[in-house]
């Protein structure tokens, strides 16, 4: 059937070459860079071993960033996966009719908008003088409520995290809905014969049946939390006083603001280890779900 | 009878409560977007004095202004980069996926797992060496500086998606094509691709959403504002037009609209591709 033994390679090589040049080689290089002191304009580079890593672990911003990434992950797990699950189960329950499609579509819309656009949208929503949030709060309180949600170090990171919950809860919800739709109806019929309430059906049938997808969405959420960049960059740029830095923005600032490429590469290696190990879990569970 | 009546009343009450909460959430989702759109149709002073009110007169000029002050350019750049990247990703990816799905050859498993592992690698980790590479090969600050890394990073997903579809196509269809004298390339192009339209559409839509919204590479690999894509143009707008709020909000609306429309029109393919990929961002 396939006479020429080189034919398969002709199909595969273009893609493979592109992936190697633009994904694999840079990532390997990034590891290499992380052992050097170097910058973007001058060609010189000095081997300094693990010094970049030592410096990172002594840098306060690194710990601020990690804490912010973790906050983002934890809150996103609770809201996007937790609330997303409640919404998915509710929208798929028999209680609702055709209206479920309407809600599903509406809740998903924010996730198709560019993060940069959503970020700027909330930049204005949170604006102390003319933003939507303060204007709405002012309707319920006496006088003018003027709070700088993104300007106050106590609330800035949480304001950004809240924005992401607004954007991505519907996305996680859809993934869970698709999983729920694959559950065989007979399981519910059996549960109904046994007299299960809709709450019991959710706990004893739905959740165990979509266990894998819950894990996958949890992992996606955690990886997303450590890849965080755009949300912060377009709203606070890591400020005020570096309180909203995350690993991604910390790396960017180190590379392109302080021009310390090797140091930034070492931060990227740390991002790599966190996201890669979490990703390995995802693949493991995703494959399990397909079997 | 009475019992049943009460049961259905209870059901109705339960349903009403649920619908009430769903509507509250709907408002939470829609109201911020609605606010951006109505604000983008106000004059600047109207926006500053009464941020919640409906505009007394719809100011479509804000859109014309935003469009003329750079958005037409950003839009053009985004569309161009998007089309080239999607076409490359889908065509190169489909060929590779077909090769992996249909041929037996030396090193197939290693190649397949190498590509699959590409799904796990995040762009942040490649961005600095890519930047240096693009500068060295003189592609920095060109459209290719975005197109090539975009294609490289989305190929694993596209291949993964299309390969499983090709595996599900019965072999007999292709075998009869070979009997009719087709070789493997003509079979792929004339027989396999036409029956794979749905999955190609899913791959195209999902990668397109990624390219349209991508920020990090576009921020670092492009310097010249004439080559900005929409997300970068937006964030640049914020810095230069700090006082023209309504123009800025018009820009946000222009940036968001195409993907929202694409989603509403092609919901099915959109969700199909997303659930197969299960990667955020």
């Amino acid at each position: 059937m396939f006479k020429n033994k080189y034919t398969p390679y002709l199909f595969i090589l273009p893609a493979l070459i592109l992936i190697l040049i633009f994904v694999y080689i840079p990532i390997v290089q990034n590891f290499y860079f992380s052992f050097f002191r170097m910058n973007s304009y001058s060609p010189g580079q000095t081997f300094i071993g693990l010094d970049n890593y030592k410096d990172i672990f002594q840098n306060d911003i690194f710990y601020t960033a990690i804490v912010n990434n973790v906050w983002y992950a934890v809150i996103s797990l609770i809201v996007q996966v937790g609330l997303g699950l409640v919404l998915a189960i509710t929208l798929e329950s028999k209680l609702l009719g055709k209206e479920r499609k309407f809600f599903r579509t509406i809740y998903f819309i924010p996730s198709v908008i560019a993060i940069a656009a959503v970020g700027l949208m909330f930049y204005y929503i949170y604006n102390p003088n003319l933003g939507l949030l303060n204007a709405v709060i002012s309707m319920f309180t006496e006088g003018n409520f003027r709070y700088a949600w993104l300007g106050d170090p106590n609330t800035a990171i949480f304001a950004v995290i809240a924005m992401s919950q607004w954007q991505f809860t519907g996305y996680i919800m859809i993934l869970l809905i698709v999983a729920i739709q694959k559950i065989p109806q007979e399981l519910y019929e059996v549960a109904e014969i046994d007299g299960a309430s809709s709450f019991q059906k959710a706990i004893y049938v739905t959740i165990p049946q979509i266990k894998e997808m819950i894990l996958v969405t949890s992992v996606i959420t955690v990886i997303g939390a450590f890849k965080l960049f755009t949300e912060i960059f377009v709203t606070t740029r890591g400020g005020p006083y570096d309180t909203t830095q995350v690993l991604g923005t910390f790396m960017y600032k180190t590379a392109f603001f302080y021009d310390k490429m090797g140091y930034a590469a070492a931060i990227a290696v740390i991002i790599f280890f966190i996201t890669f190990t979490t990703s390995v879990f995802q693949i493991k569970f995703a494959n399990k779900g397909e079997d | 009878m009475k019992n049943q009546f009460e049961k259905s009343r209870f059901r109705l009450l339960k349903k009403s409560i649920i619908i009430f909460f769903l509507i509250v959430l709907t408002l939470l989702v829609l109201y911020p977007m609605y606010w951006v759109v109505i604000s983008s149709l106000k004059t600047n002073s109207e926006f500053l004095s009464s941020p919640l009110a409906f505009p007394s007169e719809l100011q479509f000029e804000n859109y014309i202004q935003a469009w003329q002050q750079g958005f037409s350019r950003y839009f053009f750049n985004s569309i161009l980069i998007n089309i080239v990247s999607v076409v490359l990703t889908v065509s190169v990816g489909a060929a590779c996926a077909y090769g992996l799905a249909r041929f037996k050859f030396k090193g197939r498993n290693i190649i397949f797992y190498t590509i699959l592992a590409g799904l796990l690698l995040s762009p942040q980790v490649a961005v600095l060496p890519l930047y240096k590479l693009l500068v060295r090969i003189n592609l920095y600050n060109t459209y290719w500086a975005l197109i090539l890394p975009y294609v490289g990073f989305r190929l694993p997903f596209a291949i993964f998606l299309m390969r499983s579809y090709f595996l599900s196509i019965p072999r007999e269809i292709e075998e009869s094509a070979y009997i009719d004298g087709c070789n493997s390339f003509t079979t792929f192009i004339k027989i396999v691709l036409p029956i794979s339209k749905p999955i190609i559409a899913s791959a195209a839509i999902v990668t397109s959403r990624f390219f349209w919204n991508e920020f990090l590479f576009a921020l670092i690999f492009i310097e010249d504002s004439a080559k900005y894509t929409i997300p970068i143009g937006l964030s640049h707008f914020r810095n230069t037009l700090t006082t023209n709020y309504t123009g800025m909000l018009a820009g946000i609306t222009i940036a968001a609209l195409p993907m929202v429309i694409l989603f509403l029109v092609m919901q099915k393919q959109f969700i199909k591709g997303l659930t197969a990929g299960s990667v955020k961002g």
Side-chain angles (χ1 to χ4, degrees), chain A residues 121-159:
Chain A
M121 209 174 121
F122 277 79
Y123 177 75
Y124 289 101
I125 287 171
Y126 288 138
N127 186 296
N129 302 316
L130 43 89
L132 173 65
L133 187 56
N134 286 349
V136 169
I137 293 174
S138 294
M139 277 178 14
F140 298 100
T141 56
E142 285 167 43
N144 260 343
F145 191 81
R146 299 238 155 131
Y147 184 73
W149 298 92
L150 293 170
D152 186 330
N154 292 315
T155 52
I157 190 68
F158 297 104

Side-chain angles (χ1 to χ4, degrees), chain B residues 127-161:
Chain B
V127 72
L128 303 174
L130 268 176
Y131 167 76
K132 288 206 145 206
L133 172 76
L134 293 166
V135 169
R136 205 168 57 227
I137 59 179
N138 283 325
L139 288 182
Y140 173 72
N141 202 24
T142 66
Y143 290 134
W144 290 108
L146 294 183
I147 293 167
L148 293 172
Y150 281 176
V151 174
F153 268 93
R154 291 320 276 178
L155 269 174
F157 163 76
I159 293 169
F160 185 62
L161 190 68

Side-chain angles (χ1 to χ4, degrees), chain A residues 182-241:
Chain A
K182 286 182 186 149
I183 302 175
Q185 273 307 308
E186 298 85 67
L187 292 178
Y188 290 107
E189 282 157 19
V190 171
E192 266 163 37
I193 292 167
D194 290 346
S197 68
S198 37
F199 180 73
Q200 284 168 324
K201 275 188 276 181
I203 298 288
Y204 296 110
V205 182
T206 312
I207 291 177
Q209 286 291 316
I210 60 166
K211 214 169 54 208
E212 272 88 18
M213 190 46 113
I214 294 174
L215 280 166
V216 169
T217 50
S218 305
V219 171
I220 297 173
T221 306
V222 173
I223 295 170
F226 284 93
K227 279 171 144 177
L228 196 61
F229 177 77
T230 315
E231 287 88 338
I232 302 286
F233 189 85
V234 294
T235 51
T236 66
R237 301 244 154 137
Y241 318 111

Side-chain angles (χ1 to χ4, degrees), chain A residues 1-2 7-12 14-16 18-19 22-24 26-27 29-30 33 38-41 80 87 90-91 95-96 99 103 105-114 116-117 120-121 123-125 130 132 135 139 166 168 171 174-175 178 198 220 227 229-230 233-235 237 251-252 255-256 261 264-265 268 272 275-276 279 282-283, chain B residues 11 14-15 18-19 22 25-26 28-33 35-36 47-48 51-52 92 95-96 98 102-103 105-106 111 114-115 117-118 120-122 124-132 148 151-153 155 159 175 178 184-185 188 209 213 215-216 219-220 231 234-235 238-239 245 248 252 256 259-260 263-264 267 270-271 274-275 278-280:
Chain A
M1 203 155 128
F2 314 116
T7 308
Y9 297 102
L10 291 177
F11 276 97
I12 283 159
L16 191 63
L18 280 168
I19 293 172
F22 293 102
V23 180
Y24 276 96
I27 285 177
Q29 262 184 325
N30 184 82
F33 284 2
M38 61 198 295
N39 49 44
S40 49
Y41 298 108
Q80 291 174 34
L87 285 175
T90 311
L91 287 184
L95 218 51
L96 293 184
E99 62 271 27
F103 291 120
T105 306
I106 299 285
Y107 297 164
F108 190 77
I109 289 175
S111 71
V112 304
I113 303 173
L120 285 168
M121 209 174 121
Y123 177 75
Y124 289 101
I125 287 171
L130 43 89
L132 173 65
M139 277 178 14
W166 179 85
F168 288 117
Y171 176 86
I174 289 276
L175 294 180
V178 172
S198 37
I220 297 173
K227 279 171 144 177
F229 177 77
T230 315
F233 189 85
V234 294
T235 51
R237 301 244 154 137
M251 178 190 85
Y252 177 82
F256 297 99
M261 280 289 186
F272 171 85
T275 53
F276 189 79
S279 296
Q282 179 188 1
I283 290 285
Chain B
R11 241 179 104 85
K14 213 161 79 173
K15 186 172 171 173
I18 289 174
I19 296 273
L22 293 176
L25 275 179
T26 304
L28 269 174
V29 169
L30 290 184
Y31 193 67
M33 295 195 267
W35 179 75
V36 168
F47 175 62
L48 292 168
L52 290 183
V92 173
C96 180
Y98 186 68
R102 277 296 185 261
F103 301 108
F105 55 90
K106 237 187 184 164
I111 292 174
T114 306
I115 291 169
L120 314 184
L121 303 171
S122 57
Q124 271 90 338
V125 189
V127 72
L128 303 174
L130 268 176
Y131 167 76
K132 288 206 145 206
L148 293 172
V151 174
F153 268 93
L155 269 174
I159 293 169
E175 272 155 16
Y178 283 110
S184 39
F185 290 102
F188 172 63
R209 163 179 173 267
N213 295 347
F215 192 83
L216 182 70
L219 175 72
I220 294 174
L234 260 185
S235 118
R238 191 197 107 180
N239 300 336
Y245 301 107
M248 185 68 223
I252 295 173
M259 277 300 136
V260 174
F263 164 64
L264 292 177
Q267 239 186 96
F270 222 100
I271 289 167
L274 284 179
T275 45
S278 292
V279 182
K280 197 149 81 178

Side-chain angles (χ1 to χ4, degrees), chain A residues 30 54 64 89 108 115 164 196 215 263-264 290:
Chain A
N30 184 82
K54 276 184 209 149
T64 310
I89 292 173
F108 190 77
I115 296 171
S164 286
L215 280 166
Y263 192 110
E290 269 174 24

Side-chain angles (χ1 to χ4, degrees), chain B residues 60-80:
Chain B
F60 289 106
E61 295 92 87
N62 293 337
Y63 283 80
I64 296 168
Q65 248 178 44
W67 188 252
Q68 284 169 347
Q69 279 173 345
F71 261 90
S72 54
R73 189 75 215 166
Y74 308 149
F75 216 84
F76 170 79
N77 294 337
S78 273
I79 286 181
L80 183 73

